[in-house]
């Protein structure tokens, strides 16, 4: 996640009912000064699972504007799912730690980047997660900047790919502002065996869930988040 547009205003996000305070560029840079980015390790796995599930499905904190709990139930991820990714050097999971404005270093968000089998020019960005209580600080933008840098400089890819669940209107709008475009391709929501959540009964009866496939060219010298 990790993360709204940077002009200052207050807006009601209708799909989630969450009121969002947007940040100015100056305020966002000040918040970024509190953040340290580093690669995740197995020692972080408990916090990674907690942050991801809070960001995507809510929980004991206020629901964030990026959540999908109105569409799905169950956890987004687990230790069993993250452990092989953390052990695989071809997977890049990196996190943002606030080590200034909190009493002790606190994991506030993370993101996952991986290469795509059979796609020599593309890398996938996923699992962008920011704790709901830490959203609106520009952490999502900071994580996305680093994800795109990894795609471009470390993996030598010229296109970043994302899969965004249909029905997440505000999130799709945010990614469009960052320069991602809808390819027109869709991918079906996986079956229950993947353990990434189960569509709500009221959704199943009226709607077939799927993912929009978005892409962003990394050929330009500057990305939308750099401007």
């Amino acid at each position: 996640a990790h993360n709204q547009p940077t002009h200052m205003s207050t807006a009601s996000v209708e799909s989630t009912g969450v009121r969002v305070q947007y940040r100015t560029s100056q305020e966002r840079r000040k918040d970024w000064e509190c953040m340290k980015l580093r690669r995740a390790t197995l020692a972080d796995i408990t916090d990674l699972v907690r942050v991801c599930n809070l960001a995507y499905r809510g929980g004991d904190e206020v629901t964030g504007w990026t959540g999908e709990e109105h569409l799905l139930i169950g956890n987004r991820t687990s230790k069993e799912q993250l452990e092989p990714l953390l052990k695989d050097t071809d997977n890049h999971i990196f996190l943002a730690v606030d080590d200034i404005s909190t009493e002790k270093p606190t994991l506030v968000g993370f993101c996952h980047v991986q290469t795509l089998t059979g796609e020599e020019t593309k890398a996938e960005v996923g699992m962008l997660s920011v704790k709901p209580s830490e959203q609106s600080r520009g952490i999502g933008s900071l994580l996305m900047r680093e994800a795109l840098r990894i795609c471009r400089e470390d993996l030598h890819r010229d296109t970043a790919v994302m899969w965004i669940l249909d029905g997440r209107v505000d999130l799709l709008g945010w990614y469009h502002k960052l320069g991602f475009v809808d390819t027109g391709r869709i991918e079906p929501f996986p079956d229950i065996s993947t353990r990434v959540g189960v569509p709500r009964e009221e959704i199943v009866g009226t709607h077939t869930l799927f993912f929009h496939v978005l892409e962003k060219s990394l050929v330009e010298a500057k990305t939308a988040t750099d401007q």
Side-chain angles (χ1 to χ4, degrees):
H2 266 6
N3 34 331
Q4 289 85 15
T6 56
H7 60 279
M8 175 57 83
S9 67
T10 302
S12 175
V13 181
E14 296 179 358
S15 62
T16 61
V18 178
R19 198 163 181 79
V20 176
Q21 181 71 42
Y22 294 154
R23 310 287 284 171
T24 64
S25 297
Q26 183 177 3
E27 288 171 321
R28 184 177 63 172
R29 284 194 295 271
K30 184 177 181 180
D31 278 335
W32 285 1
E33 292 173 358
C34 299
M35 301 299 154
K36 175 183 178 181
L37 293 177
R38 66 170 174 82
R39 187 151 187 163
T41 69
L42 284 172
D44 301 307
I45 195 167
T46 297
D47 288 335
L48 291 170
V49 170
R50 174 175 166 75
V51 168
C52 183
N53 288 332
L54 282 173
Y56 280 82
R57 305 290 156 76
D60 57 4
E61 294 191 22
V62 61
T63 299
W65 73 280
T66 62
E68 58 190 20
E69 63 276 9
H70 60 299
L71 300 171
L72 302 168
I73 58 176
N75 289 333
R76 168 62 178 81
T77 194
S78 65
K79 290 183 179 180
E80 292 73 23
Q81 290 171 302
L82 285 183
E83 184 174 348
L85 299 180
L86 290 166
K87 291 180 176 179
D88 183 358
T89 56
D90 288 334
N91 283 274
H92 298 252
I93 296 181
F94 61 95
L95 48 84
V97 175
D98 187 336
D99 60 356
I100 294 180
S101 62
T102 55
E103 293 183 2
K104 62 179 182 179
T106 302
L107 192 159
V108 294
F110 75 96
C111 191
H112 174 217
V113 179
Q114 64 179 341
T115 56
L116 292 170
T117 302
E119 294 280 5
E120 296 184 356
T121 64
K122 298 179 181 180
E124 181 180 355
V125 178
M127 231 182 312
L128 180 61
S129 307
V130 176
K131 286 182 65 176
S133 61
E134 301 293 334
Q135 292 179 8
S136 302
R137 297 180 63 190
I139 299 169
S141 293
L142 180 65
L143 289 168
M144 181 56 72
R145 282 169 61 101
E146 178 64 7
L148 298 180
R149 187 202 66 77
I150 290 172
C151 291
R152 183 174 58 246
E153 298 180 12
D154 296 351
L155 301 179
H156 307 292
R157 297 315 199 249
D158 59 27
T159 304
V161 181
M162 298 195 76
W163 291 22
I164 306 301
L165 193 63
D166 184 51
R168 303 182 72 184
V169 178
D170 299 296
L171 194 59
L172 282 165
W174 186 67
Y175 286 123
H176 289 156
K177 289 184 178 180
L178 294 184
F180 282 88
V181 297
D182 198 326
T183 64
R185 289 173 43 217
I186 62 174
E187 295 290 342
F189 187 80
D191 62 41
I192 193 172
S193 66
T194 58
R195 297 177 297 166
V196 295
V198 179
R200 290 186 174 276
E201 289 186 8
E202 58 269 31
I203 296 296
V204 173
T206 61
H207 187 67
T208 299
L209 286 180
F210 60 87
F211 293 97
H212 296 271
V213 180
L214 309 183
E215 292 187 355
K216 175 179 172 61
S217 173
L218 304 177
V219 176
E220 296 295 329
K222 292 185 177 181
T223 67
T225 51
D226 290 327
Q227 296 173 357

